[in-house]
Amino acid sequence: MRKKINCILLIDDDKSTNFLHKIIIEETGVSEKVEAVQSGQEALDYLERKKEGVYPKPDLIFLDINMPGMNGWEFLEEYEKLDDNLKGEIMIMMLTTSINPDDEEKAKKTKFINGFLNKPLTTGVIEKIIDDHFQNKE
């Protein structure tokens, strides 16, 4: 049986994409909860907000690159400035429609990025990420 992680955070400015990805993730049953926000700033606010005295610290973040206001790269710059208590051991996967090879190269060189994926998210991709990165963690 596959171990469940606590929380997955979706960061994408497109409501319908977040809606679809949330349904797909929930169908896999790999996470206790799935949160979705529509901007990098909203994601930072979410990470900095205590709920019942605890910061959310999602286990996995799917981050879009091209968003108005604060794009994925700008989010990462601000994320790096967060206190380590807020970051925890979060795994960040770029999830994008970008076909620019420079984006993929930049992702490979960016400290907090653990992978670069093309939309849409599928159950197979989610299950592979969970199996590869979370199943042996206690």
Side-chain angles (χ1 to χ4, degrees):
M1 184 166 154
R2 182 177 281 122
K3 177 182 148 187
K4 278 189 176 188
I5 61 175
N6 179 47
C7 179
I8 294 175
L9 176 61
L10 301 169
I11 308 172
D12 196 310
D13 61 304
D14 186 71
K15 275 186 180 181
S16 58
T17 298
N18 276 341
F19 180 77
L20 175 65
H21 288 165
K22 189 171 183 174
I23 288 172
I24 291 168
I25 293 167
E26 288 171 346
E27 284 178 357
T28 66
V30 298
S31 182
E32 293 293 332
K33 65 181 174 180
V34 181
E35 298 288 338
V37 296
Q38 290 185 262
S39 72
Q41 186 58 57
E42 195 177 340
L44 292 170
D45 294 344
Y46 171 79
L47 293 170
E48 293 176 311
R49 191 177 320 123
K50 280 186 178 180
K51 188 173 185 176
E52 298 173 13
V54 179
Y55 292 106
K57 292 192 211 177
D59 300 292
L60 175 59
I61 294 175
F62 287 106
L63 175 63
D64 187 24
I65 294 175
N66 298 312
M67 297 181 286
M70 179 185 287
N71 68 31
W73 302 118
E74 293 164 333
F75 165 80
L76 289 168
E77 288 172 16
E78 295 304 312
Y79 174 81
E80 188 169 11
K81 296 174 190 175
L82 291 177
D83 187 274
D84 287 342
N85 293 348
L86 304 176
K87 291 186 261 193
E89 292 190 34
I90 297 171
M91 171 177 281
I92 300 176
M93 304 295 274
M94 282 287 191
L95 183 62
T96 183
T97 56
S98 173
I99 55 171
N100 183 342
D102 293 341
D103 283 335
E104 188 167 3
E105 280 306 307
K106 186 174 181 179
K108 287 177 184 175
K109 295 175 185 173
T110 301
K111 179 167 122 178
F112 294 108
I113 300 297
N114 301 94
F116 188 90
L117 306 167
N118 289 310
K119 293 178 189 176
L121 197 54
T122 65
T123 56
V125 168
I126 295 164
E127 290 170 347
K128 181 165 178 27
I129 291 168
I130 299 301
D131 290 346
D132 290 352
H133 300 283
F134 294 98
Q135 288 308 297
N136 295 325
K137 286 190 174 185
E138 291 301 317

